Amino acid sequence: MEFRTKVKIDKPDFEIEPFEDMLFVGSCFADNIGKRFVEEKFNAVVNPYGVMYNPASILHTVARSEAAPRVALMTLGTNHVYILNETGEIVDNCAKRPQRLFTERELTIDECVGYLSEAVELLTGRNADVKVIITVSPIRYAKYGYHGSQLSKATLLLAADLMVREYPGRVTYFPAYEIVNDELRDYRFYASDMLHPSQQAVDYIWELFSEAYFSPAAKRFIEEWRPIKEALGHKPFRPDSDEYKEFMNKTMLKVKALSKKYPKFVP
């Protein structure tokens, strides 16, 4: 018997290799996953101008960063944007300025697709082989009200689906939103605010993502790197002891061996 609904993850037509050049842009979910890629020694740039929640701000980051990754992941958080009344421009951060200076509105599906398409075109112009993964953040926005939050997510989900259809072979969709809300339907998978995924949920999503997208070489490297990473992160009770010095010497020899096996590896 199955006691939960399993989300089907479509196998993409490409694989992520170890030390891949990557760009992560979007909501705090992109931050969480992107930082994991950094820990696993991928050449990942994560939200270089801060967390970006809507498609327009994601485009702004892509335009400013001049990044030319082989793989880019964009996480859509909301279709709500804030427009500076003085200029009529969408701002990425209100910088704690008075709310009266801004007008909040919701992007339509077509507007979301327009901003995301421009971001994809920019990345393609810099790297013709770029692959773009789009996800929708599973984090609900209580300030919109839960119905309003669902409407916002629905807009993003429809926009993401159109992007996959418009850019076959270029854009894929990873169902992070569905995994949290349909597969992990239990409050034990949420943080104390009951809105953000717990670390356990993030780890589970990481496992599903790596299984779907990583090449055998990437999976192999991560397995080899894991015990060394844990050893380097170990905090000893007696750092000046001979035992710890010997432990670190052996660990550094393993680092050296890994560097020899993988020339792109940077400890």
Side-chain angles (χ1 to χ4, degrees):
M1 296 178 66
E2 278 286 349
F3 291 98
R4 59 175 176 158
T5 53
K6 294 279 289 183
V7 174
K8 181 179 180 293
I9 302 174
D10 294 328
K11 187 71 175 175
D13 60 357
F14 70 97
E15 294 180 323
I16 297 175
E17 300 294 340
F19 321 110
E20 193 81 81
D21 291 332
M22 303 184 72
L23 173 66
F24 292 81
V25 185
S27 73
C28 49
F29 181 78
D31 252 17
N32 289 333
I33 294 296
K35 287 174 182 175
R36 182 66 181 266
F37 274 84
V38 173
E39 291 175 8
E40 304 298 350
K41 296 303 177 180
F42 291 86
N43 186 25
V45 176
V46 182
N47 276 333
Y49 302 105
V51 174
M52 300 294 164
Y53 295 98
N54 65 76
S57 294
I58 288 174
L59 168 60
H60 295 163
T61 291
V62 170
R64 291 175 63 193
S65 70
E66 298 183 356
R70 217 274 297 190
V71 179
L73 187 144
M74 303 175 183
T75 298
L76 315 179
T78 179
N79 69 329
H80 287 240
V81 297
Y82 288 89
I83 299 170
L84 183 61
N85 296 329
E86 184 180 358
T87 64
E89 296 177 334
I90 294 174
V91 298
D92 302 328
N93 191 318
C94 294
K96 297 183 179 180
R97 288 175 287 182
Q99 188 173 355
R100 58 182 170 77
L101 300 178
F102 303 91
T103 298
E104 180 182 4
R105 79 170 183 87
E106 301 166 31
L107 298 177
T108 66
I109 297 169
D110 288 342
E111 286 175 320
C112 290
V113 170
Y115 287 120
L116 294 172
S117 295
E118 192 172 343
V120 170
E121 295 294 345
L122 282 173
L123 291 172
T124 304
R126 299 170 191 166
N127 186 342
D129 297 324
V130 69
K131 300 293 185 178
V132 178
I133 304 166
I134 292 181
T135 68
V136 173
S137 170
I139 301 168
R140 292 182 173 91
Y141 289 86
K143 68 178 182 179
Y144 302 156
Y146 294 112
H147 179 62
S149 178
Q150 289 291 72
L151 292 175
S152 176
K153 298 295 185 182
T155 299
L156 298 175
L157 289 165
L158 289 168
D161 187 63
L162 285 173
M163 287 296 297
V164 173
R165 295 170 185 269
E166 189 171 323
Y167 292 94
R170 176 78 65 193
V171 176
T172 61
Y173 176 73
F174 178 75
Y177 179 85
E178 292 81 357
I179 291 168
V180 172
N181 290 291
D182 295 323
E183 188 169 337
L184 304 181
R185 290 185 290 173
D186 192 303
Y187 281 118
R188 66 193 169 106
F189 295 115
Y190 289 82
S192 59
D193 65 359
M194 296 294 116
L195 296 172
H196 289 73
S198 67
Q199 187 59 51
Q200 186 180 30
V202 173
D203 289 343
Y204 180 69
I205 292 169
W206 165 264
E207 289 179 11
L208 296 182
F209 185 94
S210 58
E211 184 60 34
Y213 282 88
F214 285 2
S215 70
K219 294 174 183 176
R220 189 164 53 248
F221 167 77
I222 289 173
E223 285 303 310
E224 294 179 61
W225 165 237
R226 179 177 292 113
I228 300 174
K229 178 179 67 173
E230 291 174 353
L232 291 172
H234 176 67
K235 294 182 180 180
F237 290 110
R238 297 173 57 200
D240 296 328
S241 67
D242 291 338
E243 291 83 357
Y244 181 67
K245 290 177 182 178
E246 183 181 358
F247 171 78
M248 284 307 298
N249 286 336
K250 289 181 179 179
T251 299
M252 294 315 295
L253 286 175
K254 293 177 182 178
V255 170
K256 186 175 181 180
L258 202 62
S259 297
K260 187 175 181 180
K261 184 175 182 180
Y262 297 97
K264 291 184 178 180
F265 170 64
V266 179

Short mmCIF file of all heavy atoms in Angstrom, two decimals, residues 140-164:
data_model
loop_
_atom_site.label_atom_id
_atom_site.label_comp_id
_atom_site.label_asym_id
_atom_site.label_seq_id
_atom_site.Cartn_x
_atom_site.Cartn_y
_atom_site.Cartn_z
N ARG A 140 4.25 29.54 0.84
CA ARG A 140 3.04 30.35 0.69
C ARG A 140 3.27 31.74 1.29
O ARG A 140 4.04 31.90 2.23
CB ARG A 140 1.86 29.67 1.38
CG ARG A 140 1.41 28.39 0.72
CD ARG A 140 0.19 27.83 1.45
NE ARG A 140 -0.38 26.69 0.76
CZ ARG A 140 -0.04 25.43 1.00
NH1 ARG A 140 0.88 25.17 1.91
NH2 ARG A 140 -0.60 24.44 0.34
N TYR A 141 2.57 32.72 0.75
CA TYR A 141 2.67 34.09 1.24
C TYR A 141 1.43 34.43 2.05
O TYR A 141 0.37 34.75 1.51
CB TYR A 141 2.85 35.07 0.07
CG TYR A 141 4.21 34.96 -0.57
CD1 TYR A 141 4.45 34.03 -1.57
CD2 TYR A 141 5.26 35.77 -0.15
CE1 TYR A 141 5.71 33.89 -2.14
CE2 TYR A 141 6.52 35.66 -0.71
CZ TYR A 141 6.74 34.72 -1.71
OH TYR A 141 8.00 34.59 -2.26
N ALA A 142 1.57 34.36 3.36
CA ALA A 142 0.43 34.58 4.24
C ALA A 142 -0.12 35.99 4.11
O ALA A 142 -1.32 36.22 4.32
CB ALA A 142 0.83 34.29 5.68
N LYS A 143 0.74 36.95 3.78
CA LYS A 143 0.28 38.34 3.72
C LYS A 143 -0.73 38.58 2.61
O LYS A 143 -1.47 39.56 2.65
CB LYS A 143 1.47 39.28 3.57
CG LYS A 143 2.20 39.19 2.24
CD LYS A 143 3.34 40.21 2.18
CE LYS A 143 4.06 40.17 0.84
NZ LYS A 143 5.15 41.16 0.78
N TYR A 144 -0.76 37.69 1.60
CA TYR A 144 -1.76 37.84 0.54
C TYR A 144 -3.09 37.21 0.95
O TYR A 144 -4.09 37.36 0.24
CB TYR A 144 -1.31 37.14 -0.75
CG TYR A 144 0.00 37.61 -1.32
CD1 TYR A 144 0.76 36.78 -2.15
CD2 TYR A 144 0.51 38.89 -1.07
CE1 TYR A 144 1.95 37.19 -2.69
CE2 TYR A 144 1.70 39.31 -1.60
CZ TYR A 144 2.43 38.45 -2.40
OH TYR A 144 3.63 38.86 -2.94
N GLY A 145 -3.09 36.47 2.06
CA GLY A 145 -4.21 35.58 2.36
C GLY A 145 -3.94 34.29 1.60
O GLY A 145 -3.32 34.30 0.54
N TYR A 146 -4.40 33.16 2.12
CA TYR A 146 -4.03 31.89 1.50
C TYR A 146 -4.69 31.68 0.14
O TYR A 146 -4.11 31.04 -0.75
CB TYR A 146 -4.32 30.74 2.46
CG TYR A 146 -3.43 30.82 3.67
CD1 TYR A 146 -3.94 31.11 4.92
CD2 TYR A 146 -2.06 30.66 3.54
CE1 TYR A 146 -3.11 31.22 6.03
CE2 TYR A 146 -1.22 30.77 4.63
CZ TYR A 146 -1.74 31.06 5.88
OH TYR A 146 -0.92 31.18 6.96
N HIS A 147 -5.87 32.25 -0.05
CA HIS A 147 -6.48 32.18 -1.39
C HIS A 147 -5.68 33.03 -2.36
O HIS A 147 -5.37 32.60 -3.48
CB HIS A 147 -7.94 32.65 -1.33
CG HIS A 147 -8.62 32.64 -2.65
ND1 HIS A 147 -8.81 31.48 -3.38
CD2 HIS A 147 -9.15 33.65 -3.41
CE1 HIS A 147 -9.43 31.79 -4.51
NE2 HIS A 147 -9.64 33.08 -4.56
N GLY A 148 -5.32 34.24 -1.94
CA GLY A 148 -4.52 35.12 -2.80
C GLY A 148 -3.18 34.50 -3.12
O GLY A 148 -2.68 34.63 -4.25
N SER A 149 -2.57 33.83 -2.15
CA SER A 149 -1.29 33.16 -2.38
C SER A 149 -1.43 32.06 -3.43
O SER A 149 -0.58 31.92 -4.33
CB SER A 149 -0.75 32.57 -1.08
OG SER A 149 0.47 31.88 -1.28
N GLN A 150 -2.51 31.30 -3.34
CA GLN A 150 -2.75 30.23 -4.32
C GLN A 150 -2.97 30.79 -5.72
O GLN A 150 -2.51 30.21 -6.70
CB GLN A 150 -3.96 29.39 -3.90
CG GLN A 150 -3.71 28.52 -2.68
CD GLN A 150 -2.74 27.38 -2.96
OE1 GLN A 150 -1.54 27.59 -3.12
NE2 GLN A 150 -3.26 26.17 -3.01
N LEU A 151 -3.66 31.92 -5.82
CA LEU A 151 -3.86 32.55 -7.13
C LEU A 151 -2.52 32.99 -7.71
O LEU A 151 -2.26 32.85 -8.92
CB LEU A 151 -4.80 33.75 -7.00
CG LEU A 151 -6.25 33.43 -6.66
CD1 LEU A 151 -7.04 34.72 -6.45
CD2 LEU A 151 -6.90 32.59 -7.75
N SER A 152 -1.65 33.54 -6.86
CA SER A 152 -0.32 33.96 -7.31
C SER A 152 0.48 32.76 -7.80
O SER A 152 1.10 32.81 -8.88
CB SER A 152 0.42 34.65 -6.16
OG SER A 152 1.74 34.99 -6.53
N LYS A 153 0.46 31.67 -7.03
CA LYS A 153 1.19 30.47 -7.44
C LYS A 153 0.62 29.89 -8.74
O LYS A 153 1.35 29.39 -9.60
CB LYS A 153 1.13 29.41 -6.34
CG LYS A 153 1.77 29.83 -5.03
CD LYS A 153 3.27 30.04 -5.14
CE LYS A 153 3.88 30.34 -3.78
NZ LYS A 153 5.32 30.62 -3.83
N ALA A 154 -0.71 29.96 -8.88
CA ALA A 154 -1.34 29.44 -10.10
C ALA A 154 -0.85 30.19 -11.32
O ALA A 154 -0.56 29.60 -12.38
CB ALA A 154 -2.86 29.54 -9.98
N THR A 155 -0.72 31.51 -11.20
CA THR A 155 -0.20 32.32 -12.30
C THR A 155 1.22 31.90 -12.66
O THR A 155 1.56 31.74 -13.84
CB THR A 155 -0.21 33.81 -11.91
OG1 THR A 155 -1.55 34.22 -11.64
CG2 THR A 155 0.37 34.68 -13.02
N LEU A 156 2.04 31.68 -11.64
CA LEU A 156 3.43 31.28 -11.88
C LEU A 156 3.51 29.88 -12.48
O LEU A 156 4.34 29.63 -13.37
CB LEU A 156 4.20 31.33 -10.56
CG LEU A 156 4.30 32.69 -9.88
CD1 LEU A 156 4.99 32.57 -8.53
CD2 LEU A 156 5.04 33.70 -10.76
N LEU A 157 2.68 28.98 -12.01
CA LEU A 157 2.68 27.62 -12.54
C LEU A 157 2.28 27.60 -14.02
O LEU A 157 2.88 26.88 -14.83
CB LEU A 157 1.73 26.73 -11.73
CG LEU A 157 2.20 26.40 -10.31
CD1 LEU A 157 1.05 25.84 -9.49
CD2 LEU A 157 3.35 25.40 -10.35
N LEU A 158 1.29 28.39 -14.37
CA LEU A 158 0.87 28.47 -15.77
C LEU A 158 1.97 29.11 -16.63
O LEU A 158 2.21 28.67 -17.76
CB LEU A 158 -0.43 29.26 -15.88
CG LEU A 158 -1.68 28.54 -15.34
CD1 LEU A 158 -2.85 29.51 -15.22
CD2 LEU A 158 -2.05 27.38 -16.25
N ALA A 159 2.63 30.12 -16.09
CA ALA A 159 3.73 30.76 -16.82
C ALA A 159 4.87 29.78 -17.01
O ALA A 159 5.47 29.71 -18.10
CB ALA A 159 4.20 32.00 -16.06
N ALA A 160 5.20 29.01 -15.97
CA ALA A 160 6.27 28.03 -16.08
C ALA A 160 5.95 26.99 -17.15
O ALA A 160 6.82 26.59 -17.94
CB ALA A 160 6.50 27.36 -14.73
N ASP A 161 4.69 26.54 -17.18
CA ASP A 161 4.28 25.55 -18.18
C ASP A 161 4.42 26.11 -19.59
O ASP A 161 4.88 25.41 -20.51
CB ASP A 161 2.84 25.13 -17.91
CG ASP A 161 2.41 23.98 -18.80
OD1 ASP A 161 2.99 22.89 -18.69
OD2 ASP A 161 1.50 24.17 -19.63
N LEU A 162 4.05 27.36 -19.78
CA LEU A 162 4.18 27.99 -21.10
C LEU A 162 5.65 28.12 -21.51
O LEU A 162 5.99 27.97 -22.68
CB LEU A 162 3.51 29.36 -21.10
CG LEU A 162 1.98 29.35 -21.15
CD1 LEU A 162 1.43 30.77 -20.97
CD2 LEU A 162 1.48 28.77 -22.47
N MET A 163 6.51 28.39 -20.53
CA MET A 163 7.94 28.51 -20.84
C MET A 163 8.50 27.18 -21.33
O MET A 163 9.30 27.14 -22.28
CB MET A 163 8.71 28.97 -19.60
CG MET A 163 8.49 30.42 -19.22
SD MET A 163 9.09 31.56 -20.51
CE MET A 163 10.85 31.20 -20.49
N VAL A 164 8.10 26.08 -20.71
CA VAL A 164 8.57 24.77 -21.14
C VAL A 164 8.09 24.48 -22.56
O VAL A 164 8.84 23.93 -23.39
CB VAL A 164 8.08 23.68 -20.17
CG1 VAL A 164 8.41 22.29 -20.71
CG2 VAL A 164 8.70 23.87 -18.80
#
